[in-house]
Amino acid sequence: MTEQPGRLAAYWEHQLDKLDDWEEHKSRRLPGWRDRKHRRALTAVLSAADLVLVGTAAVFTKIDDGLFFGLWGAGIVAGGVAFFLLRILTGRMCGGFSRLLDEREREWRHRVTYIGYQALSYLMVASLIYLVVVSDTADGGFRGALMMSALLVTGTTIPTVVLGWSLPDDDPEDFEEGMGND
């Protein structure tokens, strides 16, 4: 005798179906960019944007406010666009859940998640040390908050950066196997 799934289980299945539909829709975007060359270029832009955020947070009191907010804004916009595009190009491996992951994709996702967790942990320790160092200076709390947010953004982009840089190009034979062409 089987029971009907509860409301929570049905809601969860509905959410997973929506996520799968979104991933399927996203997987058809930017077909000409789905190679290592484009992913690595976006990875370089995202890494540079992360460095701009960290660098401007470090020199906040040494530069003019207009220059700071200009650099900070440019880092956020460039990094956000590169991150968004990389998330499209790396597919479900960067996302949280997906029932459609194969073994290779699942292995990549687990590998980069662990790398990202470790890097984020070290970056948060570095931000705490920075906060302690600047706590007695002028605007120490604000400077620490800027550095913590810059390092947090950097840490959360690391899994996508690692995937964008290291994923090989897709093998065209993989697509032909699923087409029924024997």
Side-chain angles (χ1 to χ4, degrees):
M1 180 174 168
T2 60
E3 294 181 26
Q4 289 289 336
R7 289 182 63 168
L8 185 59
Y11 175 76
W12 181 249
E13 285 297 318
H14 176 70
Q15 292 302 318
L16 288 176
D17 289 340
K18 282 177 37 178
L19 180 65
D20 289 343
D21 290 343
W22 169 246
E23 289 294 337
E24 188 67 32
H25 173 72
K26 197 168 68 168
S27 70
R28 291 187 294 272
R29 291 184 177 171
L30 303 171
W33 285 41
R34 295 188 175 273
D35 58 4
R36 181 177 270 186
K37 175 185 165 192
H38 286 96
R39 284 194 309 264
R40 285 192 170 178
L42 288 169
T43 299
V45 170
L46 180 55
S47 299
D50 286 343
L51 289 175
V52 166
L53 290 177
V54 173
T56 53
V59 298
F60 168 69
T61 58
K62 309 267 190 277
I63 60 175
D64 182 53
D65 286 346
L67 179 61
F68 167 77
F69 287 112
L71 288 171
W72 190 268
I76 292 290
V77 170
V81 169
F83 183 72
F84 179 75
L85 292 173
L86 272 172
R87 294 281 295 211
I88 290 173
L89 296 178
T90 56
R92 296 180 290 262
M93 289 179 275
C94 286
F97 303 108
S98 182
R99 296 175 286 189
L100 302 177
L101 288 178
D102 61 18
E103 294 88 21
R104 174 187 154 263
E105 292 171 331
R106 192 171 288 120
E107 177 64 31
W108 275 98
R109 184 177 68 184
H110 292 318
R111 189 178 314 159
V112 299
T113 301
Y114 180 73
I115 291 169
Y117 171 74
Q118 290 294 317
L120 184 59
S121 298
Y122 291 127
L123 289 173
M124 288 298 97
V125 169
S127 71
L128 291 173
I129 292 169
Y130 181 82
L131 186 57
V132 168
V133 169
V134 300
S135 63
D136 287 336
T137 63
D139 293 326
F142 187 65
R143 288 173 65 190
L146 284 176
M147 183 59 74
M148 192 173 281
S149 64
L151 290 174
L152 182 63
V153 167
T154 300
T156 56
T157 61
I158 286 175
T160 305
V161 166
V162 171
L163 275 177
W165 188 264
S166 58
L167 274 178
D169 286 338
D170 290 329
D171 187 5
E173 292 177 8
D174 291 342
F175 298 108
E176 292 171 7
E177 287 176 8
M179 298 288 203
N181 300 337
D182 292 359

